């Protein structure tokens, strides 16, 4: 079971690593489905490391927050990068009319936990 979970997260990481993409749409129940794919080259730039160095650290089980600490980067700076990224993307979806104010605040309410979980996880542990 542990191998299956690791495989799933590895596949998810690979899929997410190809480009930055945010997709928001309203489903039949009236809530918004918000999908994000991060640009890992931009994350590597934030961390001050090459993609190869990032992959090596990831493979030994370091999370993004641990890589940042290793490079002397404050956690708040890493969190700020992700908050800013999501803010800009959500503003685009508001302007397109896909993301209404009620959905925006619902997403923002959960965003801190989602970012914390994302930067602290690594299935290779």
């Amino acid at each position: 079971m542990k191998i299956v979970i690791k495989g799933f997260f590895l596949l998810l990481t690979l899929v997410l690593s190809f480009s930055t993409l945010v997709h928001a749409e309203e489903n039949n129940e009236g809530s918004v489905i918000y999908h994000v794919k991060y640009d890992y080259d931009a994350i590597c730039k934030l961390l001050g490391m090459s993609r190869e160095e990032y992959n090596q650290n990831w493979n030994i089980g370091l999370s993004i927050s641990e890589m940042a600490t290793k490079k002397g980067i404050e956690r708040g700076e890493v969190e700020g990068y992700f908050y800013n990224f999501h803010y800009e993307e959500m503003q685009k979806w508001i302007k397109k009319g896909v993301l209404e104010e009620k959905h925006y605040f619902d997403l923002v309410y959960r965003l801190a936990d989602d970012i914390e979980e994302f930067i602290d996880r690594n299935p290779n542990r």
Side-chain angles (χ1 to χ4, degrees), residues 55-72:
N55 289 337
Q56 289 170 349
N57 284 305
W58 182 260
N59 289 333
I60 62 170
L62 295 181
S63 66
I64 291 173
S65 63
E66 291 167 328
M67 289 182 224
T69 300
K70 186 177 172 182
K71 289 289 193 168

Side-chain angles (χ1 to χ4, degrees), residues 1-43:
M1 179 70 172
K2 196 172 186 179
I3 294 172
V4 172
I5 293 171
K6 282 186 175 183
F8 171 75
F9 281 114
L10 180 59
L11 177 63
L12 182 62
T13 301
L14 290 173
V15 169
L16 293 177
S17 68
F18 288 106
S19 67
T20 302
L21 174 71
V22 176
H23 177 74
E25 62 185 49
E26 189 168 354
N27 67 11
N28 293 337
E29 289 109 32
S31 59
V32 169
I33 300 169
Y34 180 72
H35 302 280
V36 179
K37 290 186 180 181
Y38 292 109
D39 178 354
Y40 280 81
D41 291 331
I43 293 171

Side-chain angles (χ1 to χ4, degrees), residues 34-97:
Y34 180 72
H35 302 280
V36 179
K37 290 186 180 181
Y38 292 109
D39 178 354
Y40 280 81
D41 291 331
I43 293 171
C44 290
K45 183 177 179 182
L46 169 72
L47 296 173
M49 62 179 59
S50 69
R51 187 66 184 260
E52 183 178 311
E53 185 180 0
Y54 174 89
N55 289 337
Q56 289 170 349
N57 284 305
W58 182 260
N59 289 333
I60 62 170
L62 295 181
S63 66
I64 291 173
S65 63
E66 291 167 328
M67 289 182 224
T69 300
K70 186 177 172 182
K71 289 289 193 168
I73 300 168
E74 297 281 332
R75 182 179 181 90
E77 186 176 341
V78 175
E79 290 171 345
Y81 167 81
F82 287 98
Y83 284 125
N84 188 55
F85 169 81
H86 285 282
Y87 173 79
E88 290 176 3
E89 293 302 320
M90 286 181 192
Q91 293 305 309
K92 291 176 191 174
W93 285 100
I94 289 171
K95 288 178 184 171
K96 289 182 181 180

